Every structure is written in C-alpha cells, then in structure tokens.
Amino acid sequence: MIKKEIRVLGIDDAPFNKFKRGKVLVVGAVYRGGSFLDGILSTKVNVDGNNATEKIIEMINKCKFKPQLQCIFLDGIAVGGFNVIDVKELNKKTRIPVIIIIRKNPNIKKIKETLIRINKKNKIKLIENAGSVVSVGKIYIQLTGLSVERAKEILKIVCTRSLIPEPIRIAHLIASGVTSGESGGKA
C-alpha cells in the first residue's frame, strides 16, 4: 500500500522555437501525492541536443527534496524537441523509479523514421531502451525501476485533476507561464 502523500516529481519543458538552436527551460514540480506542491526545480537543456539526461540527473541529485522522492514522472521521453532522456541512466544515477507519461499511443516506427531523416539515428536506442509502452486507462506509460502494478497505484494517487499526473500538469503550467508570460495549452 502506497501512502497518499508519496513525494513525486513531475518534469516538463517550456514552449520553444523549433527552428532556433539554443536552450529550453525544463521545470520539475515536487508534489506530495496529487494534492500538495512542495517545491519547484529547474534547469535548461539544449534544443534537440544530447544533454537532457545529464542536466535532469544533476537537477534532481542536487535538490533538497531528493531523499524523499519516490518516483519521477516525465511528460514523454524527450524535452526540447529531440533531446531524448536516457531513462535507464536517469533511474540508475538518481535511484528513483521513472514513469514516462504518453498521452497518445506513440507511432514508434514514424518516430524512428523521423530521427533517421533528421540525422539523429543515435537517439533510437534510447527510445528502444525505455521499455514497452503500456496502456493504463486513457494514457500510455513506459516504466523503469518499478512494476506496472506499482505504477498504477501511484497514478491513482497523483492523477487528481486530469488524466495526467498533477506534478506534470503543474510543471507544464509553470514552464509555459514563465516562458510565454501566460500558461496555457495541453496541461
């Protein structure tokens, strides 16, 4: 049985211009269950770069909330376009289970074709290593460091206002509000 106030972290990136190189803000919302926002973390990663894993690990391992964190939620496997997160490395270096939240069943074949077309073939292995895509209600997940059963238990606690975990929803709102001056979109 998981406590209702399990401390979790939801991570999402801010809106950015796909056609400009540069950095994008990545925000982490630390939550107790799906009800209480306890803190905010942030870092910046390169648009379409290769540093998301390293920067997110650093952000988490340096934060004061790290000892209590029981799960990391990612809004998809990439931030800043195609800056793909190595979820196995994230789990290994933080020692925290990772749940990737996916809103629609991903077309992996199309994603791979796109990566090959834009000369980012090296990122395909990171996507393949993230594990099987599992349907849970109306969303899809990929897991590292925990079972489907445990993930479902945690999702029941943290999905309080929408289909996605509250920490991801709030990270999205904050990231878009800071970057655009106003939050909005698909939170």
mmCIF file of all heavy atoms in Angstrom, residues 37-60:
data_model
loop_
_atom_site.group_PDB
_atom_site.id
_atom_site.type_symbol
_atom_site.label_atom_id
_atom_site.label_comp_id
_atom_site.label_asym_id
_atom_site.label_seq_id
_atom_site.Cartn_x
_atom_site.Cartn_y
_atom_site.Cartn_z
ATOM 1 N N LEU A 37 1.771 20.959 -3.652
ATOM 2 C CA LEU A 37 3.001 21.354 -4.308
ATOM 3 C C LEU A 37 4.007 21.719 -3.218
ATOM 4 O O LEU A 37 3.750 22.587 -2.398
ATOM 5 C CB LEU A 37 2.749 22.562 -5.218
ATOM 6 C CG LEU A 37 3.968 23.169 -5.907
ATOM 7 C CD1 LEU A 37 4.596 22.186 -6.879
ATOM 8 C CD2 LEU A 37 3.563 24.456 -6.633
ATOM 9 N N ASP A 38 5.139 21.027 -3.194
ATOM 10 C CA ASP A 38 6.154 21.266 -2.168
ATOM 11 C C ASP A 38 7.345 22.066 -2.672
ATOM 12 O O ASP A 38 8.071 22.654 -1.876
ATOM 13 C CB ASP A 38 6.673 19.940 -1.604
ATOM 14 C CG ASP A 38 5.744 19.348 -0.569
ATOM 15 O OD1 ASP A 38 4.844 20.053 -0.091
ATOM 16 O OD2 ASP A 38 5.927 18.161 -0.245
ATOM 17 N N GLY A 39 7.588 22.052 -3.975
ATOM 18 C CA GLY A 39 8.746 22.777 -4.477
ATOM 19 C C GLY A 39 8.844 22.749 -5.982
ATOM 20 O O GLY A 39 8.154 21.982 -6.646
ATOM 21 N N ILE A 40 9.714 23.599 -6.494
ATOM 22 C CA ILE A 40 9.953 23.708 -7.932
ATOM 23 C C ILE A 40 11.453 23.583 -8.188
ATOM 24 O O ILE A 40 12.251 24.168 -7.474
ATOM 25 C CB ILE A 40 9.461 25.074 -8.477
ATOM 26 C CG1 ILE A 40 7.960 25.238 -8.248
ATOM 27 C CG2 ILE A 40 9.806 25.255 -9.949
ATOM 28 C CD1 ILE A 40 7.093 24.260 -9.007
ATOM 29 N N LEU A 41 11.792 22.828 -9.219
ATOM 30 C CA LEU A 41 13.176 22.689 -9.669
ATOM 31 C C LEU A 41 13.241 23.174 -11.107
ATOM 32 O O LEU A 41 12.227 23.157 -11.813
ATOM 33 C CB LEU A 41 13.620 21.221 -9.625
ATOM 34 C CG LEU A 41 13.350 20.428 -8.360
ATOM 35 C CD1 LEU A 41 13.760 18.976 -8.560
ATOM 36 C CD2 LEU A 41 14.085 21.038 -7.191
ATOM 37 N N SER A 42 14.423 23.577 -11.562
ATOM 38 C CA SER A 42 14.540 23.933 -12.977
ATOM 39 C C SER A 42 15.968 23.752 -13.458
ATOM 40 O O SER A 42 16.920 23.758 -12.677
ATOM 41 C CB SER A 42 14.091 25.376 -13.215
ATOM 42 O OG SER A 42 15.001 26.289 -12.648
ATOM 43 N N THR A 43 16.060 23.588 -14.756
ATOM 44 C CA THR A 43 17.338 23.516 -15.446
ATOM 45 C C THR A 43 17.093 23.955 -16.875
ATOM 46 O O THR A 43 15.949 24.214 -17.255
ATOM 47 C CB THR A 43 17.947 22.094 -15.368
ATOM 48 O OG1 THR A 43 19.292 22.130 -15.838
ATOM 49 C CG2 THR A 43 17.157 21.070 -16.157
ATOM 50 N N LYS A 44 18.139 24.032 -17.662
ATOM 51 C CA LYS A 44 17.994 24.332 -19.089
ATOM 52 C C LYS A 44 18.755 23.277 -19.877
ATOM 53 O O LYS A 44 19.824 22.840 -19.462
ATOM 54 C CB LYS A 44 18.526 25.725 -19.411
ATOM 55 C CG LYS A 44 17.628 26.817 -18.856
ATOM 56 C CD LYS A 44 18.042 28.178 -19.336
ATOM 57 C CE LYS A 44 17.022 29.184 -18.803
ATOM 58 N NZ LYS A 44 17.353 30.544 -19.166
ATOM 59 N N VAL A 45 18.150 22.876 -20.998
ATOM 60 C CA VAL A 45 18.783 21.889 -21.874
ATOM 61 C C VAL A 45 18.830 22.443 -23.291
ATOM 62 O O VAL A 45 18.092 23.371 -23.634
ATOM 63 C CB VAL A 45 18.042 20.525 -21.854
ATOM 64 C CG1 VAL A 45 17.969 19.969 -20.440
ATOM 65 C CG2 VAL A 45 16.660 20.620 -22.468
ATOM 66 N N ASN A 46 19.680 21.869 -24.105
ATOM 67 C CA ASN A 46 19.815 22.296 -25.495
ATOM 68 C C ASN A 46 18.640 21.791 -26.326
ATOM 69 O O ASN A 46 18.250 20.628 -26.203
ATOM 70 C CB ASN A 46 21.112 21.775 -26.099
ATOM 71 C CG ASN A 46 22.334 22.305 -25.393
ATOM 72 O OD1 ASN A 46 22.321 23.403 -24.833
ATOM 73 N ND2 ASN A 46 23.401 21.527 -25.395
ATOM 74 N N VAL A 47 18.094 22.655 -27.178
ATOM 75 C CA VAL A 47 17.051 22.243 -28.115
ATOM 76 C C VAL A 47 17.659 21.207 -29.055
ATOM 77 O O VAL A 47 18.740 21.416 -29.608
ATOM 78 C CB VAL A 47 16.505 23.454 -28.906
ATOM 79 C CG1 VAL A 47 15.553 23.002 -30.010
ATOM 80 C CG2 VAL A 47 15.816 24.432 -27.962
ATOM 81 N N ASP A 48 16.975 20.058 -29.167
ATOM 82 C CA ASP A 48 17.422 18.930 -29.999
ATOM 83 C C ASP A 48 18.829 18.445 -29.651
ATOM 84 O O ASP A 48 19.505 17.835 -30.477
ATOM 85 C CB ASP A 48 17.368 19.284 -31.494
ATOM 86 C CG ASP A 48 15.951 19.469 -31.998
ATOM 87 O OD1 ASP A 48 15.031 18.860 -31.426
ATOM 88 O OD2 ASP A 48 15.752 20.230 -32.958
ATOM 89 N N GLY A 49 19.267 18.701 -28.421
ATOM 90 C CA GLY A 49 20.620 18.349 -28.013
ATOM 91 C C GLY A 49 20.743 16.949 -27.442
ATOM 92 O O GLY A 49 19.902 16.077 -27.671
ATOM 93 N N ASN A 50 21.804 16.769 -26.663
ATOM 94 C CA ASN A 50 22.107 15.470 -26.065
ATOM 95 C C ASN A 50 22.352 15.575 -24.566
ATOM 96 O O ASN A 50 22.908 14.651 -23.974
ATOM 97 C CB ASN A 50 23.364 14.883 -26.724
ATOM 98 C CG ASN A 50 23.164 14.624 -28.192
ATOM 99 O OD1 ASN A 50 22.213 13.968 -28.592
ATOM 100 N ND2 ASN A 50 24.040 15.163 -29.019
ATOM 101 N N ASN A 51 21.952 16.679 -23.939
ATOM 102 C CA ASN A 51 22.318 16.883 -22.537
ATOM 103 C C ASN A 51 21.155 16.777 -21.545
ATOM 104 O O ASN A 51 21.333 17.050 -20.366
ATOM 105 C CB ASN A 51 23.021 18.234 -22.374
ATOM 106 C CG ASN A 51 22.111 19.414 -22.649
ATOM 107 O OD1 ASN A 51 21.073 19.302 -23.294
ATOM 108 N ND2 ASN A 51 22.522 20.573 -22.172
ATOM 109 N N ALA A 52 19.974 16.373 -21.982
ATOM 110 C CA ALA A 52 18.811 16.323 -21.087
ATOM 111 C C ALA A 52 19.034 15.368 -19.920
ATOM 112 O O ALA A 52 18.749 15.715 -18.768
ATOM 113 C CB ALA A 52 17.553 15.944 -21.854
ATOM 114 N N THR A 53 19.533 14.185 -20.198
ATOM 115 C CA THR A 53 19.733 13.188 -19.136
ATOM 116 C C THR A 53 20.657 13.737 -18.061
ATOM 117 O O THR A 53 20.317 13.736 -16.875
ATOM 118 C CB THR A 53 20.318 11.883 -19.722
ATOM 119 O OG1 THR A 53 19.485 11.440 -20.795
ATOM 120 C CG2 THR A 53 20.424 10.807 -18.664
ATOM 121 N N GLU A 54 21.793 14.226 -18.472
ATOM 122 C CA GLU A 54 22.797 14.760 -17.543
ATOM 123 C C GLU A 54 22.239 15.944 -16.734
ATOM 124 O O GLU A 54 22.411 16.014 -15.518
ATOM 125 C CB GLU A 54 24.008 15.188 -18.374
ATOM 126 C CG GLU A 54 25.004 16.062 -17.699
ATOM 127 C CD GLU A 54 25.978 16.691 -18.717
ATOM 128 O OE1 GLU A 54 26.209 16.107 -19.790
ATOM 129 O OE2 GLU A 54 26.490 17.775 -18.407
ATOM 130 N N LYS A 55 21.552 16.873 -17.391
ATOM 131 C CA LYS A 55 21.044 18.067 -16.713
ATOM 132 C C LYS A 55 19.910 17.725 -15.734
ATOM 133 O O LYS A 55 19.846 18.298 -14.643
ATOM 134 C CB LYS A 55 20.557 19.099 -17.733
ATOM 135 C CG LYS A 55 21.646 19.619 -18.658
ATOM 136 C CD LYS A 55 22.720 20.393 -17.937
ATOM 137 C CE LYS A 55 22.295 21.805 -17.732
ATOM 138 N NZ LYS A 55 23.295 22.622 -17.038
ATOM 139 N N ILE A 56 19.054 16.779 -16.093
ATOM 140 C CA ILE A 56 17.951 16.386 -15.205
ATOM 141 C C ILE A 56 18.487 15.603 -14.009
ATOM 142 O O ILE A 56 18.046 15.820 -12.875
ATOM 143 C CB ILE A 56 16.865 15.617 -15.988
ATOM 144 C CG1 ILE A 56 16.160 16.582 -16.961
ATOM 145 C CG2 ILE A 56 15.857 14.964 -15.044
ATOM 146 C CD1 ILE A 56 15.232 15.916 -17.953
ATOM 147 N N ILE A 57 19.455 14.725 -14.229
ATOM 148 C CA ILE A 57 20.083 13.993 -13.113
ATOM 149 C C ILE A 57 20.705 14.984 -12.133
ATOM 150 O O ILE A 57 20.507 14.887 -10.922
ATOM 151 C CB ILE A 57 21.142 12.991 -13.633
ATOM 152 C CG1 ILE A 57 20.467 11.818 -14.336
ATOM 153 C CG2 ILE A 57 22.046 12.505 -12.480
ATOM 154 C CD1 ILE A 57 21.428 10.927 -15.113
ATOM 155 N N GLU A 58 21.437 15.950 -12.655
ATOM 156 C CA GLU A 58 22.075 16.962 -11.819
ATOM 157 C C GLU A 58 21.030 17.764 -11.034
ATOM 158 O O GLU A 58 21.180 18.005 -9.838
ATOM 159 C CB GLU A 58 22.904 17.890 -12.709
ATOM 160 C CG GLU A 58 23.658 18.969 -11.980
ATOM 161 C CD GLU A 58 24.428 19.862 -12.955
ATOM 162 O OE1 GLU A 58 24.957 19.361 -13.966
ATOM 163 O OE2 GLU A 58 24.469 21.076 -12.693
ATOM 164 N N MET A 59 19.952 18.162 -11.703
ATOM 165 C CA MET A 59 18.883 18.929 -11.061
ATOM 166 C C MET A 59 18.287 18.153 -9.880
ATOM 167 O O MET A 59 18.086 18.696 -8.800
ATOM 168 C CB MET A 59 17.790 19.257 -12.095
ATOM 169 C CG MET A 59 16.562 19.940 -11.540
ATOM 170 S SD MET A 59 15.296 20.251 -12.819
ATOM 171 C CE MET A 59 14.536 18.620 -12.961
ATOM 172 N N ILE A 60 18.043 16.865 -10.096
ATOM 173 C CA ILE A 60 17.423 16.037 -9.058
ATOM 174 C C ILE A 60 18.403 15.746 -7.924
ATOM 175 O O ILE A 60 18.068 15.898 -6.748
ATOM 176 C CB ILE A 60 16.893 14.722 -9.661
ATOM 177 C CG1 ILE A 60 15.729 15.024 -10.613
ATOM 178 C CG2 ILE A 60 16.460 13.748 -8.561
ATOM 179 C CD1 ILE A 60 15.316 13.850 -11.480
#
